[in-house]
Each structure stands twice: as C-alpha cells, then as structure tokens.
Amino acid sequence: MSIRKVLLGLTLILLWANGAAIAADVDKGLQAYKAGDYKTALSQWIPFADSGNASAQSNLGFMYERGHGVPQNYNAAAKWYTLAAEQGDIVAQFNLGGLYDAGKGVVENDKTAVKWLTLASNQGYARAQSYLGVMYVNGHGVPTDYLRAYMWWSVGSHNGDLLAAQYKQSIATKMTPAHVTKAHEMYSSCLRSNYTDC
C-alpha cells in the first residue's frame, strides 16, 4: 500500500472523528439551550458558528431572533440565518424567509421570502411548505394561486404540519371541485418527484 493511500485514509478518519466531535459539541449546546442554560449554549455554538458550522449558525440566529441569552437583535439573527441558509440549512432557510416576510433585520421582501421558503420546502420541511401555501393564498411574493396554496398545504399536511391540514380544508371551500382535483394532482406529482415538480 502506498504512503499516499495510508495518509489519505488517516486524513479521512481524522475528518470523520473531527466531524463527530463537532456534532457532539453542537449537541451539547442544544442540550444546554433546552435546559435554559443559554450561556453554555452560546459558548458551545459561537466558535463553531464562526468557523462555518451551519447548525451552530442557525441556532445562534434563533437565539438572536428570540432574545434568548442575548439581546434580541434581528440584524444579527438575519446574519446568522443567512450564513446557515446559504449552506442549505432548512431551518435557517425557513426562519430567514420569515424575517424577509416580516421585514425584521432585513428590508421586507416577499420575493426573497418565497425564495428561502421554497428552498426549505423543496427539502421536505413541513413548516416551510405550510408557510409557502400562505404566501400563495395571499399573493405575497408570488401571484395569488389557490391551487398552489392547496398543493403546498397538502404536502405540508402529509409531512406532519397540523396547520397545513386546517388551511387546506379552509381553502377548499373557496375552490371548485375541479380545482381541488387539479390541486390534488399537483400535490401527488410534487411528492412523486421528491419536490422537484411542485
């Protein structure tokens, strides 16, 4: 076996071990957060967030958004959510979409909100799917589209979001049976395609 293969193998083992250690430390922060020990959560997450860990960045964004252990600061929340969302963190994408929809820490921009909510929805995040349905029914950032709203609420409901199920029933009363059938076909297509045809 060449020295190069041995070194590559050792490097991969070290990277895996380092990744496992980082995940464990980020999890320690989560346990502290759940226990209300925000100081420990911050001390666990800040170094990882600064080094680019998306989960830690998303968690810090949430702490700043809610003012847990830090003064509430929507600008800081948006900063951390953006860093995590750009790496594909679905919770950060969802939360960042909410900040853009509300204009908290960022300039209100419904199209940007829809962008982030769609990214999280296309990864199967039920809460984002439900929120995206609201954007479609209200015409925020997208044209008003009851069929697409019904479709996203069906998907969100399928993935466990209880509000989506209620919203879907409510909007169905404003749609013709043919539209409900069409929206249900869109929902089925969306699920079959693993969210690529939504």
Side-chain angles (χ1 to χ4, degrees):
M1 181 180 289
S2 75
I3 197 89
R4 182 179 207 135
K5 286 183 180 177
V6 170
L7 289 175
L8 178 61
L10 287 174
T11 301
L12 292 174
I13 290 169
L14 288 173
L15 286 173
W16 176 82
N18 188 38
I22 289 170
D25 286 340
V26 171
D27 192 50
K28 283 181 193 173
L30 185 59
Q31 296 309 315
Y33 179 86
K34 287 180 180 177
D37 183 0
Y38 301 139
K39 183 178 178 181
T40 298
L42 280 170
S43 71
Q44 290 293 317
W45 289 336
I46 287 174
F48 294 112
D50 286 338
S51 67
N53 181 278
S55 293
Q57 291 168 340
S58 182
N59 293 341
L60 282 181
F62 189 78
M63 291 184 81
Y64 277 106
E65 182 181 1
R66 300 299 170 108
H68 292 170
V70 292
Q72 187 175 47
N73 183 331
Y74 293 117
N75 291 332
K79 169 197 155 187
W80 288 114
Y81 284 151
T82 300
L83 291 170
E86 288 173 346
Q87 295 183 69
D89 186 282
I90 60 175
V91 174
Q93 291 170 342
F94 168 75
N95 288 328
L96 187 58
L99 290 184
Y100 273 103
D101 182 39
K104 292 182 176 179
V106 291
V107 175
E108 183 178 341
N109 186 324
D110 289 338
K111 287 186 179 188
T112 303
V114 167
K115 168 194 157 184
W116 290 114
L117 293 170
T118 300
L119 286 169
S121 294
N122 289 342
Q123 294 183 74
Y125 193 51
R127 290 181 62 202
Q129 293 162 342
S130 180
Y131 201 148
L132 195 52
V134 171
M135 300 298 276
Y136 274 102
V137 83
N138 291 322
H140 292 174
V142 289
T144 299
D145 187 338
Y146 285 6
L147 276 77
R148 200 153 304 277
Y150 184 98
M151 179 205 68
W152 278 118
W153 287 333
S154 296
V155 172
S157 176
H158 171 84
N159 288 326
D161 189 272
L162 299 178
L163 282 177
Q166 293 173 7
Y167 294 154
K168 181 178 83 166
Q169 290 174 351
S170 175
I171 198 68
T173 64
K174 299 177 182 178
M175 298 168 64
T176 67
H179 284 144
V180 171
T181 299
K182 173 65 177 165
H184 191 74
E185 290 169 2
M186 292 166 61
Y187 151 74
S188 296
S189 178
C190 182
L191 286 184
R192 274 194 313 273
S193 71
N194 197 28
Y195 312 114
T196 61
D197 184 22
C198 298

